[in-house]
Amino acid sequence: MADNHPSATGDAGPWRLIPAILAALGTLWFARFLGPVAQGETPELVVPWVPSLGIEAAFRLDGLALAFALLICGIGAICFLYAATYFRGDARLGSLLVILVAFAISMLGLVTADDAVTLFVFWEATTITSWLLVGFDHERPAARAAALQALLITGAGGLALLAGLLLMGGVAGGYRLSAMNAAGDLFRDHALYPAIFALVILGCFTKSAQFPFQFWLPGAMAAPTPVSAYLHSATMVKAGVYLMARLSPSLGGTDLWISVLTPVGGFTMLLASIWAVRQTDMKLLLAYTTVMALGLMTMLLGTSTPVAVAAAMTFLLVHAFYKAALFLAVGMIEKGAGSRDYPAVGGLAGAMPLTAAVAGLAALSMAGFPPMFGFVGKEVIYQGTTGAVTVAALLANAAMVACAAVVTLRPFLGRRTSPRAQPADPGWGLWLGPSALAALGLAFGLFPGVIGHALVAPMTRAVTGGPMPVELELWHGINAAFLLSLATFALGGLLYANLDRLRDALATAEPRLPRTEGWYDAALAGCLAFAAALTGAVQNGRMTSYLRTTFLLFAALIWGALVIGGAMPRPMAGATSLVDWAVLALICASIVAVLRTSSRLTAICALGGVGAGIAIIFVLYGAIDVAMTQLFVEVLVVVFLAIAMARLPRMGPPRFHAGNAAVAILLGLGVTLSALAVLSTPLDPFMSRFFEEKSAPVALGHNIVNVILVDFRGFDTMGEISVIVIAGVAAIAALRAGRRAAK
């Protein structure tokens, strides 16, 4: 149940605080834009990237991007400080901080990108860095399996997202997201809208763990506690929610949007609330409540009303504050008491009063009790929902109350129970950050208008294009939302009172219930079985099989180009001389000798005859340099192979293989027809004139072929020489190893 901490000692100097300091400075830098963005300004930075394709490294800071940037930097500073203390003395601390910083940079690029291709690049960067973070304890099989699961699911969703973004760029005629959002009707009325919607939403659902992909996020709890707090509170898992909000002006509001996002989000939310009650590991319990929160935000964005969007933006901030604080508080319990399994700890309030205060404040916000910011967010949720959506939100919020009670009551009240004899609050590096987050949850609850004006209103305007439809207030009077809040508290209290029975009933029923991740296990097993079968069929250890497959695929490519491209040769006029027929006879005789001989040495020499005939053709057409190269290569090949095969036994009488003959004829005929097709095409002399004009004055050489190889294709030639050198070194090493083995 505990994070894995090797005893190896690493450098614990002040350098470990540098990432936290940089993230804090980043928070202050982005905070400079709160006023201008609240007034409607949107600072931009555009750097040309691939102008020929209309791709720019464009970044734009509107209300939605600014809120995420502040969360990424602010909570990042807290998690970096926490990690520097949590892993102090661990030799892996440096690599952990480097990956965390790389992940933070990737997230910042993702949320501020105003170019679809730029956004995708950073999207995939978050996938790779989060894979490294989830699998940080790579020596444990569970961590490796969880990292692979997260990588495969989010990576596959990323490929779908790329296809969707490219389709959007094709429809819009450019890749600027702000321009796409301004032309929303263009997408909603387009014939490709269903395909675009499906691809983009698939990417969002995989990233934000919506059904049927929700299982990867609890599995990612194999990551260390500070990583879990950072990835699963305000950053990675909200990237899908961010993109749904970002593209809502261009893709949202349709019947398809509403009919997919609302039920999927609602079902994910309710399913996660059930399994959250089942958990005894408080970190895993919080992971399921994260899936619950992501489902709630997806459901609200699917509803598409301005009030529901405002509720989603408010709850996004609420969740970031309390969830990061609670994850870090669970890490404090684990450090101070020795376990994060709530049946194993209890009565810790006296020994760990600071941890109890942090967990209590954050849990009150999670449960939505006044005067916490969570209460304000819950009221707005009830204002923005109706009918079945309200009922689903009520049930999920009640489960939130029960889970919050578990985290704040079970570890701290009752009889003292702890794996450690003397539990105590950890040092300041662990309690400072979560204390600040818990305090912010209280401060924004007491003064919700401040964050409403500075962040929630600009976020809502970025999504809906209109003003904030509701005011964030701690007290709206006795209305329907307030009565629903009371019902939430009552139902949540009832769930908590029966928590143990519900948990045990779910544990008993779990083996008989269908596993929602069963499709993933089956798909992964199928892929591995197919790969094993394909490898067994292709990598069979027989060189003739490898050559046959290679030549057959090469022939398929050539014939595909000839047939699909319509490049069949046209009749060509030309006379043939006696020399031409003589060369043809030499080549044909050499081929017959290769096919009929039972001696490997004779076959190799006959193949040299084929090469010599081709060299003569080069000479006849003036390519002296190419002919010399061809001749030297043939001579060396014949000599080397003759030396290698001198000690091999005779092959025996040749046997006819119809399959091999068919492949040879197919490939040879395809190469011949393609060469004739090229020769029958009018020659564009542009390149020839270029080299004729530039060789002497620019490269100072009169031999055009040499100039091309040395100057115009210098890097290509150097690469070819490097390959030859590497092959030679490998051959020498293999010969020496064989000589030593023989001794």
Side-chain angles (χ1 to χ4, degrees), residues 69-82:
L70 289 171
L71 291 176
I72 292 165
C73 292
I75 296 181
I78 291 171
C79 291
F80 297 165
L81 173 62
Y82 192 98

Side-chain angles (χ1 to χ4, degrees), residues 1-8 16 81-90 92-93 96 137 224-226 281-283 326-341 345 348 351-352 355 411-412 418-431 434:
M1 289 296 186
D3 287 337
N4 188 27
H5 307 296
S7 58
R16 62 192 176 91
L81 173 62
Y82 192 98
T85 306
Y86 198 79
F87 284 90
R88 185 171 186 174
D90 193 321
R92 305 172 300 168
L93 175 59
L96 174 63
D137 289 327
T225 293
D281 182 346
M282 289 182 286
K283 187 177 173 184
L326 283 175
F327 266 122
L328 299 178
V330 168
M332 294 165 65
I333 295 173
E334 183 181 4
K335 279 288 189 182
S339 177
R340 63 178 189 240
D341 208 39
V345 293
L348 300 177
M352 304 177 66
T355 305
F412 300 108
S418 172
R420 291 188 177 174
Q422 299 294 329
D425 283 321
W428 68 272
L430 295 186
W431 62 256

